[in-house]
């Protein structure tokens, strides 16, 4: 019903000039601030036929009565999306993952607007898939997409997990089969595990695969690694595989560190686990401690525009502290996981924090299963600096 009848159920809505231009350029969102009062009658989840100034049909989208994004545009052009169109979107997304799947059995099958399925994310871990929907307006469509992914990939189970912001309204729900407490997956030579139901996001940070690979390919023989904001320690394991003799994993979540200790160490003696607020912990760290590789992967800190300056200030503090503990010729990896801080702003902040003391060595691009097709989709930035 959700997709077969779009042609019949879609209501006509004439876009204001700016919104029409955005749709023409292929942008997947129309912001609330770009809407006219005529939209006030629509309910969340309503399909809209989006009209331009001359009443020409520019595309089709789903309306949301709440939040900053009022319409998620699914399709451009005059023909309405139907079941075949959705199927083709899913096939196209899965085809893009073929290369990644040679390296891992955990990947993002559907990356929302970047795969032309706004607000819908489906991650796969082994034989399970995890659906996340970012707006009530796409909940029903998300379930449909997850069912199709499950079938196309021959998976055994599916769970619908709600992003933190929506957890208060909806509870996670099993959609199919049984979800094991811990699911094993591999990435190259790394054997990893994830607790899908208890973990953050879909369970693990799949987008950091490129960084895990980079770390695992470094020569860290005899080296010391400081893994800040370590979560379940998958980067710590990558460092151990690369030969590190000592790895300090620091995170505020004791639960995440317990998982790290239990699941992501080969020789536990090489790892230290420190449950602390990193901003306070630095003052307790012996000024003489030196590390050859420091990873700084803080939480997003800025989900709103007005939080950007505070987040950047916190980043600068982290970089200052991290640099004090860097060995000669040591490397620092800095990550930023919010598109609120643009790539340009992030790079500029890092460069000005390190001055000419550290040199930029590498810029790790997003993984193939996390394609970026519009400016706001460019959320994850990972840079490597060296002293
Ligand atoms: C982006 S995730 C890190 C992912 C991790 N690097 C990995 O490899 O999976 C951010 C982490 O920061 C932790 N965190 C948030 N605020 C913190 C703080 N003030 N001090 C220490 N850890 C913090 C969260 O518990 C979360 O695990």
């Amino acid at each position: 019903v959700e997709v077969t009848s779009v042609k019949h159920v879609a209501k006509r809505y004439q876009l204001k000039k700016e919104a029409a231009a955005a749709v023409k350029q292929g942008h997947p969102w129309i912001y609330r601030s770009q809407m006219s009062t005529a939209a006030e009658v629509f309910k969340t989840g309503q399909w809209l036929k989006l009209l331009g100034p001359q009443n020409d049909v520019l595309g089709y989208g789903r309306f949301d009565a709440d939040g900053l994004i009022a319409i998620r545009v699914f399709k451009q052009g005059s023909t309405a999306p139907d079941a075949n169109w959705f199927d083709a979107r899913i096939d196209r997304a899965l085809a893009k993952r073929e290369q990644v799947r040679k390296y891992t059995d955990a990947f993002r099958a559907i990356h929302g607007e970047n795969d032309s399925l706004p607000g819908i994310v489906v991650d796969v871990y082994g034989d399970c898939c995890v659906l996340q929907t970012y707006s009530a307006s796409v909940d029903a469509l998300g379930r449909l997409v997850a069912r199709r992914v499950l079938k196309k990939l021959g998976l055994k189970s599916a769970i619908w997990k709600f992003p933190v912001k929506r957890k208060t309204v909806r509870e996670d729900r099993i959609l199919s089969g049984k979800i094991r407490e811990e699911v094993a997956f591999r990435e190259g030579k790394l054997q990893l595990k994830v607790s899908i139901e208890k973990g953050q996001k879909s369970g693990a940070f799949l987008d950091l695969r490129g960084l895990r690979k980079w770390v695992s390919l470094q020569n860290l023989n005899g080296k010391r690694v400081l893994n800040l904001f370590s979560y379940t320690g998958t980067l710590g394991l990558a460092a151990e595989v690369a030969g590190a003799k000592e790895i300090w994993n620091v995170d505020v979540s004791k639960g995440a560190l317990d998982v790290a200790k239990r699941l992501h160490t080969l020789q536990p003696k090489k790892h230290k686990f420190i449950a602390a607020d990193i901003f306070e912990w630095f003052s307790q760290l012996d000024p003489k401690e030196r590390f050859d590789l420091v990873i700084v992967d803080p939480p997003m800190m800025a989900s709103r525009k007005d939080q950007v300056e505070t987040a950047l200030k916190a980043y600068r503090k982290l970089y200052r502290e991290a640099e004090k503990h860097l060995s000669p010729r040591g490397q620092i990896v800095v990550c930023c996981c919010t598109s609120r801080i643009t790539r340009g702003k992030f790079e500029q902040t890092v460069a000005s924090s390190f001055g000419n003391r550290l040199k930029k060595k590498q810029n790790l691009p997003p993984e193939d299963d996390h394609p970026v097709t519009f400016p706001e989709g460019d959320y994850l930035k990972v840079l490597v600096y060296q002293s």
Side-chain angles (χ1 to χ4, degrees):
V1 177
E2 276 305 325
V3 291
T4 49
S5 57
V6 179
K7 198 163 95 181
H8 307 294
V9 300
K11 294 204 167 134
R12 294 162 66 85
Y13 172 68
Q14 189 164 41
L15 297 167
K16 286 168 80 174
K17 229 168 150 188
E18 201 189 338
V23 175
K24 275 191 189 157
Q25 280 167 19
H27 200 283
W29 296 338
I30 295 169
Y31 292 102
R32 183 96 35 223
S33 57
Q34 298 172 320
M35 300 292 286
S36 64
T37 48
E40 282 165 13
V41 295
F42 302 135
K43 292 202 169 68
T44 294
Q46 173 66 53
W47 275 110
L48 297 179
K49 188 176 191 171
L50 307 170
L51 307 177
Q54 265 84 49
N55 273 336
D56 42 334
V57 185
L58 298 181
Y60 289 79
R62 295 276 273 202
F63 179 76
D64 193 337
D66 301 302
L68 286 176
I69 304 166
I71 301 174
R72 287 174 172 78
V73 183
F74 276 77
K75 186 181 174 300
Q76 284 177 285
S78 58
T79 50
D82 58 14
N84 288 339
W85 183 89
F86 272 90
D87 235 28
R89 292 281 88 40
I90 296 166
D91 285 344
R92 192 180 66 175
L94 295 180
K96 273 193 212 157
R97 275 70 180 169
E98 271 170 22
Q99 202 58 31
V100 164
R101 291 177 65 195
K102 290 181 186 155
Y103 181 77
T104 181
D105 55 353
F107 58 97
R108 176 152 293 186
I110 305 292
H111 189 38
E113 9 296 89
N114 302 284
D115 281 311
S116 303
L117 293 165
I120 299 168
V121 166
V122 181
D123 285 346
V124 172
Y125 295 97
D127 59 11
C128 309
C129 76
V130 186
L131 163 69
Q132 293 174 93
T133 49
Y134 285 83
S135 151
S137 67
V138 299
D139 279 351
L141 281 174
R143 293 184 63 168
L144 189 128
V145 170
R147 262 204 311 278
R148 299 299 294 157
V149 170
L150 190 86
K151 200 162 163 209
K152 282 174 193 278
L153 297 178
L155 308 176
K156 293 208 176 97
S157 52
I159 181 170
W160 189 7
K161 268 191 90 173
F162 286 86
V164 175
K165 263 195 200 158
R166 300 191 64 205
K167 283 241 189 285
T168 45
V169 217
R170 301 289 307 253
E171 272 183 31
D172 297 349
R173 197 189 311 171
I174 307 278
L175 296 176
S176 175
K178 255 181 109 166
I179 303 291
R180 292 184 300 282
E181 206 162 306
E182 277 161 11
V183 177
F185 64 101
R186 72 172 172 88
E187 272 181 6
K189 49 190 172 182
L190 299 180
Q191 296 294 338
L192 306 168
K193 278 192 175 165
V194 57
S195 165
I196 291 176
E197 288 187 90
K198 292 193 198 124
Q200 298 179 24
K201 299 273 179 151
S202 67
F205 292 89
L206 289 177
D207 51 6
L208 290 176
R209 182 190 309 115
L211 179 56
R212 282 189 287 271
K213 187 174 184 178
W214 181 87
V215 171
S216 72
L217 294 175
Q218 297 303 296
N219 178 359
L220 295 178
N221 279 327
K223 302 272 166 87
R224 301 182 84 215
V225 176
L226 178 57
N227 183 17
L228 297 173
F229 305 93
S230 64
Y231 187 47
T232 58
T234 56
L235 285 164
L237 176 63
E240 186 178 358
V241 166
K245 70 165 184 198
E246 200 179 327
I247 302 134
W248 291 27
N249 299 285
V250 194
D251 199 285
V252 76
S253 161
K254 187 167 180 311
L257 292 174
D258 288 343
V259 174
K261 194 178 200 167
R262 197 162 51 79
L263 302 178
H264 297 138
T265 59
L266 299 172
Q267 293 181 57
K269 276 194 184 138
K270 290 189 169 179
H271 296 257
K272 203 166 159 174
F273 298 93
I274 302 156
D277 179 328
I278 288 170
F279 292 91
E280 290 165 15
W281 175 73
F282 269 120
S283 61
Q284 296 156 30
L285 179 62
D286 184 337
K288 291 196 283 296
E289 291 288 0
R290 289 291 175 275
F291 298 89
D292 304 284
L293 173 63
V294 181
I295 300 167
V296 189
D297 179 24
M300 69 152 91
M301 292 198 245
S303 55
R304 295 193 321 260
K305 215 169 165 182
D306 60 355
Q307 295 168 325
V308 168
E309 279 315 311
T310 315
L312 290 176
K313 204 169 148 198
Y315 282 16
R316 284 190 209 102
K317 182 176 157 70
L318 287 170
Y319 303 155
R320 243 188 344 265
E321 295 295 340
E323 194 186 340
K324 284 185 202 160
H325 297 277
L326 195 64
S327 307
R329 302 234 10 100
Q331 301 189 96
I332 296 192
V333 174
V334 289
C335 311
C336 166
C337 60
T338 172
S339 62
R340 284 289 180 194
I341 299 171
T342 61
R343 190 167 284 273
K345 187 82 186 161
F346 176 63
E347 291 184 355
Q348 192 191 335
T349 303
V350 180
S352 67
S353 299
F354 292 147
N356 51 16
R357 300 177 306 281
L358 303 189
K359 286 225 155 28
K360 183 152 99 181
K361 216 183 125 191
Q362 240 172 305
N363 189 336
L364 302 187
E367 291 284 284
D368 284 354
D369 58 336
H370 290 73
V372 178
T373 59
F374 69 116
E376 293 89 336
D378 190 18
Y379 73 103
L380 183 67
K381 282 81 76 179
V382 182
L383 304 176
V384 182
Y385 271 73
Q386 180 154 39
S387 66

